[in-house]
Amino acid sequence: MADQKNQEKVEMFLEMVQKSDNIVFFGGAGVSTESGIPDFRSVDGLYNQEYDYPPEMILSHTFYRQNPEEFYRFYRNKMLCLTAKPNEAHKKLAELEARGKVKAVITQNIDGLHQLAGSKKVLELHGSVHRNYCESCHQFYDAEYMLNSQGVPHCEKCHGGIKPDVVLYEEGLDNQTIQESIYYISQADMLIIGGTSLAVYPAAGLVDYYQGNKLVLVNKTATLRDGQADLVLQESIGALFERIV
């Protein structure tokens, strides 16, 4: 009976996608875990591994300033997953955008996999490991440069420190990215939220700007917003998106 009910929900989701032409996707870590990138908060995620400091502390602005060597050791080992490949969810979203159905992908991930899959309109709430800048002269450095650097990376032009363009704890989100996200969510006829527990603010609060009646939550576990959703699917996001035609 449960399988039948679940199948009905999947069919309802597929029909919603078919009938929508202004879809916005809002994704979290669960979208990338299927590409082999560790989640911070899941059972097998970074928070449950052993380090001298908890990851939440290492990835704070204060720690970055006070312990840059340890920050970059962690950053290289755990944040620069440069061999990861887009999964079915990334690929299908890019395909749906090319067909004019998906208008924007809003992501809390910093891995650049949506762009690698071919998505054009990607709003990165927490930045990207693929953008790194000298804090003195603003020279750009890519992720490969950071991965191959030693100790605290320094600019080749002015020897200033290089900082990843990722939002650390204690730092604010980019205001333009927030405003664009609000715009796309408020205009959407369908909002699909995938791979996030919606526990991290201010990102999670963006859901409140959706005004339609096709709010779909896709996550392997329950989220704090399940009661608000028009449809809740506890599914593998890649397997679900693979079924979209």
Side-chain angles (χ1 to χ4, degrees), residues 95-198:
E95 180 193 315
L96 290 171
E97 182 188 35
R99 285 160 50 187
K101 291 176 75 68
V102 166
K103 303 303 182 190
V105 169
I106 301 165
T107 181
Q108 299 176 81
N109 299 329
I110 59 174
D111 49 51
L113 289 179
H114 285 293
Q115 290 93 328
L116 194 57
S119 287
K120 306 292 185 213
K121 190 63 187 181
V122 182
L123 297 168
E124 295 171 311
L125 293 172
H126 296 155
S128 172
V129 298
H130 295 281
R131 297 188 300 270
N132 305 272
Y133 297 97
C134 171
E135 294 196 84
S136 299
C137 74
H138 309 295
Q139 174 74 23
F140 169 85
Y141 291 91
D142 63 17
E144 284 76 12
Y145 181 90
M146 303 300 279
L147 186 63
N148 296 321
S149 62
Q150 303 291 320
V152 179
H154 287 93
C155 177
E156 293 178 342
K157 284 176 67 178
C158 75
H159 208 63
I162 302 171
K163 183 179 183 294
D165 187 14
V166 298
V167 179
L168 302 176
Y169 290 103
E170 304 166 346
E171 294 180 341
L173 303 190
D174 177 71
N175 191 53
Q176 184 179 340
T177 306
I178 286 284
Q179 292 305 316
E180 273 199 84
S181 299
I182 289 171
Y183 169 77
Y184 280 103
I185 288 173
S186 66
Q187 300 295 311
D189 66 353
M190 182 177 187
L191 176 62
I192 306 170
I193 299 172
T196 173
S197 58
L198 292 173

Side-chain angles (χ1 to χ4, degrees), residues 23 49 53 56 78 139:
I23 301 169
Q49 299 175 21
Y53 306 91
E56 195 164 27
K78 296 296 175 186
Q139 174 74 23

